[in-house]
Amino acid sequence: MELGIFSFADVQRDPNSGTLGSTAEAMRNLREAIALADAVGLDYFGVGEHHTYEMPASAGAVILASAASITKRIKLGSAVTVLSTDDPVRVYQQFATLDALSNGRAEITAGRGSSTESFPLFGYGLNDYDELYSEKLDLLLKINESNPVTWRGKHRPPLDNSWVVPRPERGHLPIWLGTGGNPHSSMRAGYLGLPISYGIIAGQAKRFAPLAELYRRAARKAGVPEANIKVSVASPGFISDDAKAAKDLWSRHWIALMTSVGEVRGFPPPSRARFDQDANGDGALFVGDPEEIAERIVALHKRLGHMRQFFQIDVGHLPQKEFLHAIELLGTKVKPFVDAELRVADSYQEAVDVR
Amino acid sequence: MSGNPIRTVGILGAGRVGTALARQALKAGYEVLVATTRPPAEIELLVEVMAPGAKAVTADLAARASDLVILAVPLATYRKLDPESLSGKIAIDVMNYWAPTDGTLAEFEGEVSSSEVVQQYLRYTRLVRTLNHIGYHEVEKMLCRQVIPSGALWRLRETTRRHGRPWLSSWIDSATMRSMPACSRPPVHSPLERRSSKGIGSATR
């Protein structure tokens, strides 16, 4: 199973003065994190498009391209690209360029995104969101399918036998559909034959099991080849050497993040009790020591059958050194645990099948 | 329908909220009909997987054949609801106006609440506004949580604070928010049953 990280490039906070660090430093910190993730054997790093001072990863493809030159194997993707407020042609050109520079390691995840700052920023309205999203996804997939492209829509001038270059090394870019759990999105991904990425950020992670089943059944109904039916999971998380220390430290940063998000969106600041509910057992927050996190990934895998899980660790101004240590533990400790557990499960299944 | 028990719940909308409420209603023993603007065949698979036991039907049938209707469509599309088939019905409005994510809609920017706007449109429907203050992922916790969700308490606390009642807001804080108990055993009644036995079921026209 693939493991990885995703980030919105959280800025640092000075522990003494309490002032926020620079957004420029956040870009360099993120590149450093991607390099380490590659070095410790992680499979995937996603940069989520985000447009706030506290999380300024607005130009993910540029960060990833910079990281591409100092990494070897790790896959580099968006998590997610806010497709509704971007031009699919430009998105494709940027990630196809990243794909060339990284020798075929680029991916796109198209989604709604975690916040709506990009709408006023790029002059889009939220009112026609669904229509905008469908149309842009359609164009993005068309560009990926073949070249030159001829296409017509309502929200953008038509393309007439236009070349969108460069072309990806292996012909196509992996394009995932990112969703927060609306059943219609699972249906859409299934019918379109796209791999699906679930953002599971609160509550019980296992409640996504029926959605994954809906996605798979819709895909099979549409005749999608088994190899193209893939599920990944993105969730908040943090790993430290000691489980209690991990929860004590990271809960403060998570609560800080959710408090500021809640002020904008009108929900209450979460309590520590609420955090503990989600950070244990089947909860959506994967916070603990390497063994606990490995066990929880495997437990969720049994319900969702996902092939990749990746974690947002740097939130609420988590110190960079803690972020890096968590990445190291995910690669050097959690990944071997998960691989071993799943091998045991597989060989047991094989033994059962043989009999 | 006065005095008649509620047996069939119709849910308009099969998104996160609609399917979560469908599952809860099924658990509580109701017959559940789910509908969207699409033909039933297009949501059959969705309903079968997300709310096993519920039936995918047309919006018209979900409204007409149900004793209680839940309106769980995106608020921006409320005018696709049919006032005619909903006339004479009790409908629960779980929809919210949320401009930062759904866009600004002039008709909801005024003084009146969104439910009053919807009520004006559905003139012959008895509209009940509830369940709109709970996150969809919390709906299913309600079987093992108290009726008042923490979000509502928070808003109450914030309101009392803003209106110069700090002692009241701090009392709400200490008395309720921190001690919100998670039930250790499943309660006998679901929230819908509880509501139907006290409020909705006894409503007469």
Side-chain angles (χ1 to χ4, degrees):
Chain A
M1 182 164 162
E2 295 187 5
L3 293 182
I5 309 285
F6 75 109
S7 167
F8 300 161
D10 192 44
V11 301
Q12 294 289 288
R13 186 190 285 285
D14 187 303
N16 300 316
S17 67
T19 53
L20 285 182
S22 81
T23 47
E25 178 196 35
M27 300 298 109
R28 295 186 290 269
N29 282 346
L30 184 50
R31 185 178 52 188
E32 180 187 30
I34 301 172
L36 177 64
D38 182 57
V40 298
L42 289 175
D43 304 283
Y44 173 82
F45 207 109
V47 176
E49 181 182 339
H50 213 266
H51 300 269
T52 63
Y53 188 94
E54 302 200 329
M55 293 176 148
S58 61
V62 181
I63 302 168
L64 292 168
S66 172
S69 64
I70 51 170
T71 54
K72 289 263 174 342
R73 289 180 313 271
I74 196 163
K75 290 173 189 163
L76 303 166
S78 59
V80 303
T81 295
V82 185
L83 191 60
S84 306
T85 59
D86 210 335
D87 179 355
V89 173
R90 203 72 182 121
V91 169
Y92 198 84
Q93 290 171 336
Q94 283 168 344
F95 280 85
T97 303
L98 172 67
D99 193 64
L101 297 175
S102 64
N103 297 307
R105 291 186 277 141
E107 297 186 0
I108 297 171
T109 300
R112 172 153 195 160
S114 75
S115 54
T116 54
E117 281 84 8
S118 63
F119 282 80
L121 202 54
F122 298 120
Y124 286 93
L126 283 150
N127 293 7
D128 43 9
Y129 175 83
D130 284 326
E131 194 186 280
L132 204 59
Y133 184 75
S134 308
E135 184 176 307
K136 296 208 173 196
L137 183 62
D138 179 61
L139 175 55
L140 186 72
L141 298 178
K142 190 102 194 240
I143 298 168
N144 198 29
E145 215 168 83
S146 66
N147 233 246
V149 186
T150 299
W151 180 89
R152 258 166 189 63
K154 263 173 69 180
H155 296 275
R156 170 190 204 296
L159 294 175
D160 207 4
N161 229 22
S162 308
W163 282 90
V164 179
V165 290
R167 299 306 297 169
E169 202 80 291
R170 293 156 300 167
H172 308 282
L173 288 179
I175 296 178
W176 296 69
L177 197 138
T179 163
N182 188 312
H184 297 293
S185 303
S186 291
M187 295 273 287
R188 166 148 51 188
Y191 284 141
L192 289 172
L194 299 177
I196 196 164
S197 185
Y198 290 114
I200 309 181
I201 59 172
Q204 300 272 296
K206 66 180 179 192
R207 74 196 154 78
F208 277 69
L211 289 164
E213 192 200 332
L214 177 62
Y215 160 70
R216 290 197 174 93
R217 286 181 60 180
R220 284 180 193 131
K221 212 171 147 189
V224 176
E226 277 306 303
N228 296 359
I229 304 176
K230 288 183 198 166
V231 174
S232 74
V233 170
S235 48
F238 177 67
I239 305 128
S240 189
D241 303 285
D242 175 73
K244 188 179 174 301
K247 286 170 214 237
D248 285 346
L249 173 75
W250 200 77
S251 63
R252 294 201 295 273
H253 296 280
W254 183 79
I255 288 170
L257 170 73
M258 296 314 281
T259 302
S260 66
V261 173
E263 275 165 16
V264 178
R265 301 193 198 164
F267 61 77
S271 61
R272 174 64 197 259
R274 172 73 177 272
F275 169 84
D276 284 331
Q277 239 181 30
D278 280 2
N280 289 290
D282 292 324
L285 308 176
F286 286 74
V287 187
D289 63 26
E291 209 161 326
E292 177 185 351
I293 296 311
E295 277 166 15
R296 290 183 51 199
I297 292 169
V298 171
L300 187 62
H301 176 81
K302 284 179 185 150
R303 290 178 179 273
L304 258 61
H306 54 309
M307 51 73 73
R308 172 190 291 171
Q309 187 162 351
F310 51 111
F311 302 94
Q312 186 181 27
I313 293 172
D314 60 329
V315 303
H317 319 300
L318 183 78
Q320 175 77 355
K321 116 175 139 30
E322 298 290 348
F323 182 27
L324 295 179
H325 188 52
I327 291 173
E328 187 188 332
L329 291 175
L330 188 65
T332 59
K333 297 267 173 68
V334 177
K335 192 167 162 61
F337 277 142
V338 170
D339 285 346
E341 284 272 339
L342 291 180
R343 258 199 307 277
V344 170
D346 280 353
S347 55
Y348 173 77
Q349 192 57 45
E350 272 164 32
V352 171
D353 291 346
V354 168
R355 243 184 279 152
Chain B
M1 70 158 56
S2 72
N4 287 346
I6 290 168
R7 298 187 196 283
T8 304
V9 176
I11 299 176
L12 302 181
R16 280 174 276 216
V17 177
T19 52
L21 290 172
R23 287 191 291 272
Q24 285 300 85
L26 285 161
K27 267 187 219 162
Y30 296 99
E31 189 192 353
V32 177
L33 306 176
V34 178
T36 64
T37 50
R38 303 164 203 225
E42 278 184 37
I43 60 159
E44 237 161 47
L45 178 63
L46 191 158
V47 172
E48 183 191 328
V49 177
M50 299 306 296
K55 239 187 283 173
V57 298
T58 62
D60 190 66
L61 187 66
R64 290 184 200 276
S66 299
D67 306 308
L68 177 73
V69 185
I70 296 176
L71 310 178
V73 302
L75 184 61
T77 67
Y78 83 94
R79 279 181 180 272
K80 289 185 183 168
L81 298 169
D82 173 31
E84 157 100 39
S85 60
L86 286 163
S87 96
K89 296 288 175 179
I90 297 167
I92 294 182
D93 175 12
V94 306
M95 304 180 289
N96 281 318
Y97 177 52
W98 201 11
T101 53
D102 301 326
T104 304
L105 302 162
E107 60 185 325
F108 295 110
E109 287 288 325
E111 282 292 300
V112 299
S113 69
S114 66
S115 286
E116 285 168 280
V117 175
V118 176
Q119 176 72 83
Q120 272 167 23
Y121 174 66
L122 303 174
R123 278 179 61 199
Y124 302 105
T125 304
R126 192 160 193 173
L127 211 65
V128 180
R129 180 180 178 87
T130 186
L131 301 174
N132 59 308
H133 51 334
I134 301 161
Y136 71 94
H137 59 285
E138 310 231 277
V139 164
E140 283 166 282
K141 273 198 232 159
M142 283 166 59
L143 273 176
C144 64
R145 287 232 126 204
Q146 300 305 302
V147 180
I148 307 171
S150 56
L153 286 170
W154 180 75
R155 284 196 184 84
L156 183 62
R157 191 193 60 158
E158 288 299 292
T159 310
T160 52
R161 190 177 55 78
R162 270 194 223 111
H163 289 84
R165 302 272 189 280
W167 58 272
L168 186 57
S169 74
S170 69
W171 177 81
I172 292 168
D173 203 16
S174 59
T176 56
M177 287 184 79
R178 288 189 198 132
S179 59
M180 273 300 274
C183 306
S184 52
R185 62 196 152 78
V188 182
H189 299 292
S190 80
L192 274 174
E193 267 180 319
R194 208 177 280 137
R195 283 178 192 283
S196 65
S197 62
K198 274 193 201 151
I200 296 161
S202 60
T204 53
R205 291 184 63 89

Short mmCIF file of all heavy atoms in Angstrom, two decimals, chain B residues 12 59-66 69 71 78-91 118-126 205:
data_model
loop_
_atom_site.label_atom_id
_atom_site.label_comp_id
_atom_site.label_asym_id
_atom_site.label_seq_id
_atom_site.Cartn_x
_atom_site.Cartn_y
_atom_site.Cartn_z
N LEU B 12 -36.23 14.31 0.00
CA LEU B 12 -35.88 14.92 -1.29
C LEU B 12 -34.43 15.37 -1.21
O LEU B 12 -34.08 16.23 -0.40
CB LEU B 12 -36.82 16.10 -1.57
CG LEU B 12 -38.30 15.74 -1.61
CD1 LEU B 12 -39.16 16.98 -1.92
CD2 LEU B 12 -38.57 14.66 -2.66
N ALA B 59 -39.64 12.45 -7.34
CA ALA B 59 -39.87 13.47 -6.31
C ALA B 59 -41.36 13.60 -6.04
O ALA B 59 -41.79 13.81 -4.90
CB ALA B 59 -39.28 14.80 -6.77
N ASP B 60 -42.14 13.45 -7.08
CA ASP B 60 -43.59 13.57 -6.93
C ASP B 60 -44.13 12.50 -5.98
O ASP B 60 -44.88 12.79 -5.05
CB ASP B 60 -44.25 13.43 -8.31
CG ASP B 60 -45.71 13.77 -8.27
OD1 ASP B 60 -46.02 14.95 -8.02
OD2 ASP B 60 -46.54 12.84 -8.46
N LEU B 61 -43.68 11.26 -6.19
CA LEU B 61 -44.15 10.16 -5.34
C LEU B 61 -43.63 10.31 -3.91
O LEU B 61 -44.36 10.08 -2.95
CB LEU B 61 -43.72 8.82 -5.94
CG LEU B 61 -44.29 7.58 -5.24
CD1 LEU B 61 -45.81 7.52 -5.43
CD2 LEU B 61 -43.64 6.30 -5.75
N ALA B 62 -42.36 10.69 -3.78
CA ALA B 62 -41.78 10.85 -2.44
C ALA B 62 -42.58 11.86 -1.63
O ALA B 62 -42.77 11.71 -0.43
CB ALA B 62 -40.33 11.29 -2.54
N ALA B 63 -43.07 12.90 -2.31
CA ALA B 63 -43.86 13.91 -1.61
C ALA B 63 -45.26 13.40 -1.30
O ALA B 63 -45.73 13.46 -0.17
CB ALA B 63 -43.93 15.19 -2.44
N ARG B 64 -45.91 12.84 -2.31
CA ARG B 64 -47.32 12.46 -2.15
C ARG B 64 -47.51 11.25 -1.24
O ARG B 64 -48.49 11.18 -0.50
CB ARG B 64 -47.95 12.18 -3.51
CG ARG B 64 -48.14 13.43 -4.36
CD ARG B 64 -48.85 13.12 -5.66
NE ARG B 64 -48.63 14.17 -6.65
CZ ARG B 64 -49.34 15.30 -6.71
NH1 ARG B 64 -50.33 15.50 -5.85
NH2 ARG B 64 -49.08 16.21 -7.62
N ALA B 65 -46.61 10.29 -1.31
CA ALA B 65 -46.83 9.03 -0.59
C ALA B 65 -46.26 9.04 0.83
O ALA B 65 -46.32 8.04 1.52
CB ALA B 65 -46.22 7.87 -1.39
N SER B 66 -45.69 10.16 1.26
CA SER B 66 -45.06 10.19 2.58
C SER B 66 -45.90 10.95 3.60
O SER B 66 -46.62 11.89 3.25
CB SER B 66 -43.68 10.84 2.49
OG SER B 66 -42.87 10.10 1.62
N VAL B 69 -42.09 14.76 5.00
CA VAL B 69 -41.11 14.94 3.93
C VAL B 69 -39.92 15.73 4.47
O VAL B 69 -40.09 16.69 5.23
CB VAL B 69 -41.72 15.70 2.72
CG1 VAL B 69 -40.73 15.76 1.57
CG2 VAL B 69 -43.01 15.02 2.27
N LEU B 71 -36.76 18.03 3.35
CA LEU B 71 -36.21 18.78 2.22
C LEU B 71 -34.70 18.90 2.41
O LEU B 71 -34.23 19.66 3.24
CB LEU B 71 -36.84 20.17 2.14
CG LEU B 71 -38.37 20.22 2.20
CD1 LEU B 71 -38.86 21.67 2.16
CD2 LEU B 71 -39.00 19.42 1.07
N TYR B 78 -34.03 25.32 -4.40
CA TYR B 78 -35.31 25.01 -3.75
C TYR B 78 -36.51 25.21 -4.68
O TYR B 78 -37.56 24.60 -4.50
CB TYR B 78 -35.47 25.83 -2.45
CG TYR B 78 -35.98 27.24 -2.64
CD1 TYR B 78 -37.33 27.53 -2.54
CD2 TYR B 78 -35.10 28.29 -2.93
CE1 TYR B 78 -37.80 28.83 -2.72
CE2 TYR B 78 -35.56 29.57 -3.11
CZ TYR B 78 -36.91 29.84 -3.01
OH TYR B 78 -37.38 31.11 -3.20
N ARG B 79 -36.35 26.05 -5.70
CA ARG B 79 -37.49 26.28 -6.61
C ARG B 79 -37.76 25.10 -7.54
O ARG B 79 -38.74 25.11 -8.28
CB ARG B 79 -37.31 27.59 -7.39
CG ARG B 79 -37.70 28.78 -6.55
CD ARG B 79 -37.59 30.10 -7.25
NE ARG B 79 -37.98 31.16 -6.34
CZ ARG B 79 -39.23 31.61 -6.19
NH1 ARG B 79 -40.20 31.08 -6.91
NH2 ARG B 79 -39.51 32.56 -5.32
N LYS B 80 -36.89 24.10 -7.49
CA LYS B 80 -37.19 22.87 -8.22
C LYS B 80 -38.15 21.97 -7.42
O LYS B 80 -38.65 20.98 -7.95
CB LYS B 80 -35.90 22.10 -8.53
CG LYS B 80 -35.03 22.79 -9.58
CD LYS B 80 -33.82 21.95 -9.94
CE LYS B 80 -32.93 22.70 -10.92
NZ LYS B 80 -31.62 22.04 -11.08
N LEU B 81 -38.37 22.30 -6.15
CA LEU B 81 -39.37 21.57 -5.36
C LEU B 81 -40.75 21.91 -5.92
O LEU B 81 -40.98 23.04 -6.37
CB LEU B 81 -39.29 21.97 -3.89
CG LEU B 81 -37.97 21.67 -3.17
CD1 LEU B 81 -37.94 22.37 -1.80
CD2 LEU B 81 -37.78 20.16 -2.99
N ASP B 82 -41.65 20.96 -5.84
CA ASP B 82 -42.97 21.17 -6.42
C ASP B 82 -44.00 21.50 -5.34
O ASP B 82 -44.38 20.63 -4.55
CB ASP B 82 -43.39 19.89 -7.18
CG ASP B 82 -44.82 19.97 -7.68
OD1 ASP B 82 -45.27 21.11 -7.98
OD2 ASP B 82 -45.47 18.93 -7.76
N PRO B 83 -44.48 22.76 -5.29
CA PRO B 83 -45.41 23.17 -4.23
C PRO B 83 -46.69 22.33 -4.25
O PRO B 83 -47.27 22.06 -3.20
CB PRO B 83 -45.73 24.62 -4.58
CG PRO B 83 -44.63 25.08 -5.46
CD PRO B 83 -44.17 23.87 -6.21
N GLU B 84 -47.09 21.90 -5.43
CA GLU B 84 -48.34 21.16 -5.59
C GLU B 84 -48.27 19.81 -4.87
O GLU B 84 -49.13 19.49 -4.06
CB GLU B 84 -48.57 21.01 -7.10
CG GLU B 84 -49.44 19.87 -7.51
CD GLU B 84 -50.84 20.36 -7.81
OE1 GLU B 84 -50.97 21.43 -8.40
OE2 GLU B 84 -51.79 19.64 -7.44
N SER B 85 -47.23 19.01 -5.16
CA SER B 85 -47.18 17.69 -4.54
C SER B 85 -46.87 17.78 -3.04
O SER B 85 -47.15 16.86 -2.28
CB SER B 85 -46.16 16.79 -5.25
OG SER B 85 -44.88 17.35 -5.18
N LEU B 86 -46.29 18.90 -2.62
CA LEU B 86 -45.97 19.06 -1.20
C LEU B 86 -47.10 19.74 -0.42
O LEU B 86 -46.99 19.94 0.78
CB LEU B 86 -44.68 19.87 -1.05
CG LEU B 86 -43.39 19.13 -1.39
CD1 LEU B 86 -42.24 20.11 -1.62
CD2 LEU B 86 -43.02 18.14 -0.30
N SER B 87 -48.16 20.08 -1.10
CA SER B 87 -49.21 20.83 -0.41
C SER B 87 -49.94 19.91 0.57
O SER B 87 -50.18 18.74 0.30
CB SER B 87 -50.16 21.47 -1.43
OG SER B 87 -51.28 20.66 -1.63
N GLY B 88 -50.22 20.46 1.74
CA GLY B 88 -50.86 19.70 2.80
C GLY B 88 -49.92 18.80 3.58
O GLY B 88 -50.33 18.08 4.49
N LYS B 89 -48.65 18.85 3.24
CA LYS B 89 -47.67 17.97 3.91
C LYS B 89 -46.93 18.72 5.02
O LYS B 89 -46.80 19.94 5.00
CB LYS B 89 -46.64 17.49 2.89
CG LYS B 89 -47.19 16.62 1.80
CD LYS B 89 -47.56 15.28 2.35
CE LYS B 89 -48.25 14.42 1.29
NZ LYS B 89 -48.60 13.11 1.80
N ILE B 90 -46.42 17.92 5.95
CA ILE B 90 -45.46 18.48 6.90
C ILE B 90 -44.08 18.20 6.33
O ILE B 90 -43.75 17.06 5.97
CB ILE B 90 -45.60 17.80 8.28
CG1 ILE B 90 -46.99 18.08 8.86
CG2 ILE B 90 -44.51 18.30 9.22
CD1 ILE B 90 -47.32 17.22 10.04
N ALA B 91 -43.29 19.25 6.20
CA ALA B 91 -41.95 19.08 5.64
C ALA B 91 -40.90 19.64 6.60
O ALA B 91 -41.09 20.72 7.17
CB ALA B 91 -41.85 19.79 4.29
N VAL B 118 -38.54 29.84 1.94
CA VAL B 118 -38.99 28.55 1.41
C VAL B 118 -40.49 28.37 1.70
O VAL B 118 -41.25 27.90 0.84
CB VAL B 118 -38.17 27.38 2.00
CG1 VAL B 118 -38.71 26.04 1.51
CG2 VAL B 118 -36.69 27.52 1.62
N GLN B 119 -40.91 28.76 2.91
CA GLN B 119 -42.32 28.63 3.29
C GLN B 119 -43.23 29.46 2.36
O GLN B 119 -44.31 29.02 1.98
CB GLN B 119 -42.52 29.07 4.74
CG GLN B 119 -43.97 29.06 5.21
CD GLN B 119 -44.55 27.66 5.40
OE1 GLN B 119 -44.36 27.05 6.43
NE2 GLN B 119 -45.24 27.15 4.39
N GLN B 120 -42.74 30.67 1.99
CA GLN B 120 -43.52 31.50 1.08
C GLN B 120 -43.71 30.81 -0.26
O GLN B 120 -44.75 30.95 -0.91
CB GLN B 120 -42.82 32.84 0.85
CG GLN B 120 -43.21 33.89 1.88
CD GLN B 120 -42.29 35.10 1.84
OE1 GLN B 120 -41.66 35.36 0.81
NE2 GLN B 120 -42.22 35.81 2.94
N TYR B 121 -42.70 30.08 -0.67
CA TYR B 121 -42.78 29.36 -1.95
C TYR B 121 -43.68 28.12 -1.84
O TYR B 121 -44.52 27.87 -2.70
CB TYR B 121 -41.37 28.97 -2.40
CG TYR B 121 -41.33 28.11 -3.63
CD1 TYR B 121 -41.74 28.59 -4.87
CD2 TYR B 121 -40.89 26.78 -3.55
CE1 TYR B 121 -41.71 27.79 -6.00
CE2 TYR B 121 -40.85 25.98 -4.67
CZ TYR B 121 -41.27 26.48 -5.89
OH TYR B 121 -41.25 25.68 -7.00
N LEU B 122 -43.49 27.37 -0.74
CA LEU B 122 -44.32 26.18 -0.51
C LEU B 122 -45.51 26.58 0.36
O LEU B 122 -45.59 26.25 1.54
CB LEU B 122 -43.49 25.08 0.18
CG LEU B 122 -42.22 24.62 -0.54
CD1 LEU B 122 -41.44 23.65 0.34
CD2 LEU B 122 -42.56 23.97 -1.88
N ARG B 123 -46.45 27.31 -0.25
CA ARG B 123 -47.49 27.99 0.53
C ARG B 123 -48.38 27.06 1.33
O ARG B 123 -48.85 27.39 2.40
CB ARG B 123 -48.35 28.85 -0.40
CG ARG B 123 -47.70 30.19 -0.68
CD ARG B 123 -48.54 31.02 -1.60
NE ARG B 123 -49.86 31.33 -1.04
CZ ARG B 123 -50.87 31.72 -1.80
NH1 ARG B 123 -50.73 31.80 -3.11
NH2 ARG B 123 -52.04 32.01 -1.25
N TYR B 124 -48.64 25.88 0.78
CA TYR B 124 -49.60 25.00 1.44
C TYR B 124 -48.92 23.84 2.15
O TYR B 124 -49.50 22.79 2.38
CB TYR B 124 -50.66 24.52 0.42
CG TYR B 124 -51.38 25.68 -0.21
CD1 TYR B 124 -51.12 26.08 -1.51
CD2 TYR B 124 -52.31 26.42 0.54
CE1 TYR B 124 -51.76 27.17 -2.07
CE2 TYR B 124 -52.96 27.51 -0.01
CZ TYR B 124 -52.68 27.89 -1.32
OH TYR B 124 -53.31 28.97 -1.85
N THR B 125 -47.66 24.03 2.44
CA THR B 125 -46.90 23.01 3.18
C THR B 125 -46.66 23.54 4.59
O THR B 125 -46.48 24.74 4.78
CB THR B 125 -45.54 22.77 2.50
OG1 THR B 125 -45.76 22.42 1.15
CG2 THR B 125 -44.76 21.66 3.20
N ARG B 126 -46.68 22.65 5.57
CA ARG B 126 -46.36 23.07 6.93
C ARG B 126 -44.87 22.82 7.15
O ARG B 126 -44.45 21.67 7.27
CB ARG B 126 -47.20 22.26 7.90
CG ARG B 126 -47.17 22.80 9.27
CD ARG B 126 -48.36 22.26 10.02
NE ARG B 126 -48.56 22.98 11.24
CZ ARG B 126 -49.61 22.81 12.01
NH1 ARG B 126 -50.53 21.95 11.66
NH2 ARG B 126 -49.71 23.48 13.13
N ARG B 205 -54.15 20.03 11.58
CA ARG B 205 -54.45 21.16 10.69
C ARG B 205 -55.93 21.49 10.78
O ARG B 205 -56.74 20.62 10.90
CB ARG B 205 -54.12 20.79 9.24
CG ARG B 205 -52.66 20.65 9.02
CD ARG B 205 -52.39 20.37 7.56
NE ARG B 205 -52.82 21.48 6.75
CZ ARG B 205 -52.06 22.53 6.44
NH1 ARG B 205 -50.85 22.60 6.92
NH2 ARG B 205 -52.49 23.50 5.70
#
